[in-house]
Amino acid sequence: MRIAVCPGSFDPVTLGHLDIIRRSSKLFDKVIVVVMINYHKKDSSFTAEERVELLRRCTGDISNIEIDTYNGLLADYTREKGAVAIVKGLRAVSDFEYEFQQALTNKRLNPEVETIFITTSADNMFLSSSVVKQVCAFGGDVSTFVPPEIRSDIIERLTRA
């Protein structure tokens, strides 16, 4: 079985994330979407457990997806799960430098895993969790940014005063 890991903070989940997850699920026997605890992002809008639940709700129709959370090195996680690949989405050239550095680090820490970059669809090139948070905070319409299954949860959380 060829297992891939699709890591991220997913705070919150966007249609861009879902696009990469769905496309990954067609390439691998199993894709583990893992909510990673990112120490650089101190102001999470959702707890890790809430993000796992949101991901479960919007990926329930994809049979070869598993949702998990992890607090540690991604290279260690991939080894524990027997993964052959890490799948990362790229929106723009600006994403590549950071992701390339991470890919090289993960390869050094776990030589058995490859990093696969999937470019986002043109519709999602601008989309990030930060954009969703900003638009939502000012009462803007995020209906074309986030999965409908979790839209009300996101709006409720991000529009609280």
Side-chain angles (χ1 to χ4, degrees), residues 44-63:
S44 296
S45 299
F46 295 88
T47 67
E49 294 77 18
E50 288 171 328
R51 288 179 266 162
V52 165
E53 179 56 30
L54 293 174
L55 279 160
R56 283 190 177 127
R57 287 174 39 207
C58 60
T59 60
D61 63 322
I62 311 171
S63 63

Side-chain angles (χ1 to χ4, degrees), residues 21-35:
I21 292 166
R22 284 188 186 286
R23 289 165 58 202
S24 299
S25 74
K26 295 174 184 173
L27 300 174
F28 296 93
D29 300 315
K30 179 179 180 180
V31 176
I32 304 171
V33 180
V34 61
V35 174

Side-chain angles (χ1 to χ4, degrees), residues 5-130:
V5 172
C6 186
S9 56
F10 305 105
D11 189 41
V13 181
T14 69
L15 290 175
H17 293 132
L18 203 53
D19 175 51
I20 299 299
I21 292 166
R22 284 188 186 286
R23 289 165 58 202
S24 299
S25 74
K26 295 174 184 173
L27 300 174
F28 296 93
D29 300 315
K30 179 179 180 180
V31 176
I32 304 171
V33 180
V34 61
V35 174
M36 300 295 292
I37 308 303
N38 187 335
Y39 293 103
H40 297 294
K41 295 182 180 180
K42 299 287 184 201
D43 299 326
S44 296
S45 299
F46 295 88
T47 67
E49 294 77 18
E50 288 171 328
R51 288 179 266 162
V52 165
E53 179 56 30
L54 293 174
L55 279 160
R56 283 190 177 127
R57 287 174 39 207
C58 60
T59 60
D61 63 322
I62 311 171
S63 63
N64 63 333
I65 295 289
E66 178 182 313
I67 310 297
D68 199 4
T69 186
Y70 189 71
N71 184 8
L73 291 173
L74 180 58
D76 291 340
Y77 184 81
T78 59
R79 187 178 294 107
E80 289 172 20
K81 296 297 181 176
V84 298
I86 297 167
V87 175
K88 297 295 292 188
L90 293 178
R91 292 174 297 215
V93 174
S94 57
D95 288 344
F96 182 74
E97 185 175 356
Y98 173 78
E99 295 299 348
F100 184 64
Q101 182 181 31
Q102 294 301 306
L104 292 174
T105 302
N106 285 320
K107 186 68 171 171
R108 178 68 58 94
L109 295 173
N110 181 356
E112 302 303 312
V113 72
E114 298 293 340
T115 298
I116 308 297
F117 296 113
I118 298 179
T119 55
T120 189
S121 64
D123 291 344
N124 296 321
M125 285 185 69
F126 69 95
L127 191 53
S128 68
S129 294
S130 298

